[in-house]
């Protein structure tokens, strides 16, 4: 599954690179653009700035996908999510400890996560950020978020709305992930704020078999979103992006699995 996810991430980046060439328009495929322009489209039948109908289609498609597979878009296709994830993996590789023979030991996650209560408050930041972006976008009929958008900084090739803060946010995505797992995605991403209510009721969910689970807590340790998987029988948390890192790390094949409501895996019966 991790190989499929990696191929999906690379494919999206290649397609994005093609859109950055002359004649391409990467902004017209930004799903958050569909959220930004939706009010103007439904009230005045027009679009904000360079946005178009493709942005609306992308936004609606990703919302539909989220209702089926939670926030899988974030870990399989979002370029900012990919950048943050790869930066975090690079930091893990760089921070490997050396053994007595000078060789690097197996990588261990050494990045810091805020205390649970602080983390919970920080996760709420994305909602007022979303509200402010939409308010000023509607009031000014301009893409206000461009000046802070790491996606725009990544793809625009120093576009006309680029500011210091645009590159600062891109730097936060990359360098922040060296210290905290996916800080932009967890705390600041306005698209995550849009998708979370739909993700909470997503049909395909990660499930944990209490009979098969050995309570080793390895799934909790590798979860980039900080979800405590060992405390639930199914992950309804809106943060879950179904990256499957927990399943890949789990030492037991039947303890964690993806399933629809009412679907349980067949348990193997040991022969004594």
């Amino acid at each position: 599954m991790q190989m499929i996810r990696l191929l999906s991430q690379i494919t999206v980046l290649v397609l994005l690179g093609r859109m950055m060439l002359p004649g391409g328009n990467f902004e017209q495929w930004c799903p958050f653009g569909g959220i930004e322009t939706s009010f103007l489209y439904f009230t005045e039948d027009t679009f904000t700035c360079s946005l178009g109908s493709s942005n609306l289609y992308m936004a609606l498609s990703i919302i539909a996908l989220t209702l089926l597979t939670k926030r899988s878009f974030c870990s399989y296709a979002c370029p900012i999510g990919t950048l943050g994830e790869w930066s975090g993996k690079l930091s893990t590789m760089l921070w490997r400890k050396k053994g007595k023979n000078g060789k690097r030991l197996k990588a261990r996650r050494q990045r810091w996560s805020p205390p649970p209560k602080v983390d919970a408050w920080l996760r709420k930041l994305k909602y007022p950020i979303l509200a402010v972006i939409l308010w000023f976008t509607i009031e000014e009929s301009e893409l206000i978020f461009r000046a802070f958008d790491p996606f725009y900084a990544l793809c625009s090739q120093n576009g006309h709305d680029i500011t210091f803060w645009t590159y600062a946010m891109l730097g936060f995505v990359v360098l922040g992930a060296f210290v905290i797992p996916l800080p932009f995605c967890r705390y600041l991403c306005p698209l995550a704020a849009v998708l979370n209510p739909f993700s909470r009721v997503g049909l395909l969910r990660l499930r944990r078999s209490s009979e098969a689970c050995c309570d080793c807590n390895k799934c909790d340790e590798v979860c980039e979103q900080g979800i405590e998987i060992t405390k639930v029988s199914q992950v309804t948390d809106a943060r879950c992006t179904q990256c499957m890192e927990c399943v890949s790390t789990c030492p037991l094949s039947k303890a964690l699995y993806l399933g629809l409501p009412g679907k349980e895996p067949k348990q193997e019966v040991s022969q004594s």
Side-chain angles (χ1 to χ4, degrees):
M1 182 61 76
Q2 293 305 311
M3 182 57 67
I4 293 174
R5 195 163 72 86
L6 177 61
L7 290 174
S8 175
Q9 292 172 329
I10 292 173
T11 300
V12 170
L13 291 179
V14 170
L15 292 174
L16 189 60
R18 171 63 184 86
M19 294 176 197
M20 292 166 58
L21 296 175
N25 188 341
F26 68 90
E27 272 196 301
Q28 287 197 344
W29 299 101
C30 173
F32 187 66
I35 305 301
E36 290 176 291
T37 197
S38 58
F39 179 83
L40 193 61
Y41 175 75
F42 289 114
T43 56
E44 300 182 22
D45 196 26
T46 187
F47 297 100
T48 306
C49 295
S50 61
L51 303 181
S53 57
S54 55
N55 297 98
L56 284 174
Y57 296 147
M58 284 293 294
L60 292 173
S61 298
I62 290 171
I63 288 173
L65 178 67
T66 305
L67 287 170
L68 292 174
T69 61
K70 300 180 73 66
R71 277 176 47 194
S72 58
F73 168 80
C74 301
S75 63
Y76 284 79
C78 178
I80 297 303
T82 296
L83 197 61
E85 180 186 332
W86 289 2
S87 297
K89 288 182 177 179
L90 177 61
S91 74
T92 302
M93 293 172 61
L94 294 176
W95 290 350
R96 287 179 182 176
K97 293 181 179 179
K98 288 186 177 181
K100 294 181 180 179
N101 58 1
K103 293 183 178 180
R104 290 185 180 272
L105 300 174
K106 185 177 180 181
R108 297 184 63 187
R109 294 183 181 273
Q110 300 179 26
R111 288 177 292 167
W112 177 76
S113 285
K117 289 185 178 180
V118 176
D119 181 69
W121 278 104
L122 289 174
R123 293 200 311 267
K124 293 180 172 65
L125 284 175
K126 63 176 73 72
Y127 299 104
I129 288 173
L130 172 65
V132 169
I133 290 171
L134 295 181
W135 171 263
F136 281 103
T137 300
I138 293 170
E139 285 294 303
E140 303 293 332
S141 295
E142 291 287 343
L143 296 175
I144 302 299
F145 187 50
R146 262 184 185 168
F148 308 93
D149 188 357
F151 177 69
Y152 189 73
L154 180 66
C155 303
S156 68
Q157 303 177 62
N158 203 37
H160 65 280
D161 284 337
I162 287 285
T163 67
F164 164 80
W165 294 108
T166 322
Y167 287 121
M169 288 306 300
L170 182 60
F172 179 69
V173 170
V174 177
L175 299 179
F178 273 69
V179 182
I180 301 174
L182 301 175
F184 179 81
C185 305
R186 290 170 69 168
Y187 306 133
L188 304 180
C189 179
L191 183 59
V194 173
L195 296 180
N196 273 356
F198 303 101
S199 180
R200 187 169 294 279
V201 296
L203 290 178
L204 190 65
R205 299 173 183 174
L206 181 71
R207 296 169 182 271
R208 183 181 68 89
S209 170
S210 57
E211 290 80 9
C213 180
C214 64
D215 295 318
C216 65
N217 294 327
K218 289 184 178 179
C219 54
D220 294 349
E221 293 173 5
V222 300
C223 181
E224 298 276 76
Q225 297 288 345
I227 301 171
E228 294 181 314
I229 301 166
T230 53
K231 293 185 178 181
V232 297
S233 59
Q234 60 176 323
V235 178
T236 58
D237 196 305
R239 292 173 288 166
C240 179
T241 63
Q242 298 192 351
C243 67
M244 305 300 284
E245 288 281 357
C246 54
V247 177
S248 299
T249 305
C250 182
L252 303 172
S253 61
K254 297 292 184 179
L256 295 173
Y257 61 97
L258 284 178
L260 295 170
K263 298 290 184 180
E264 301 293 338
K266 293 182 179 179
Q267 299 292 333
E268 295 180 359
V269 179
S270 60
Q271 301 295 328
S272 57

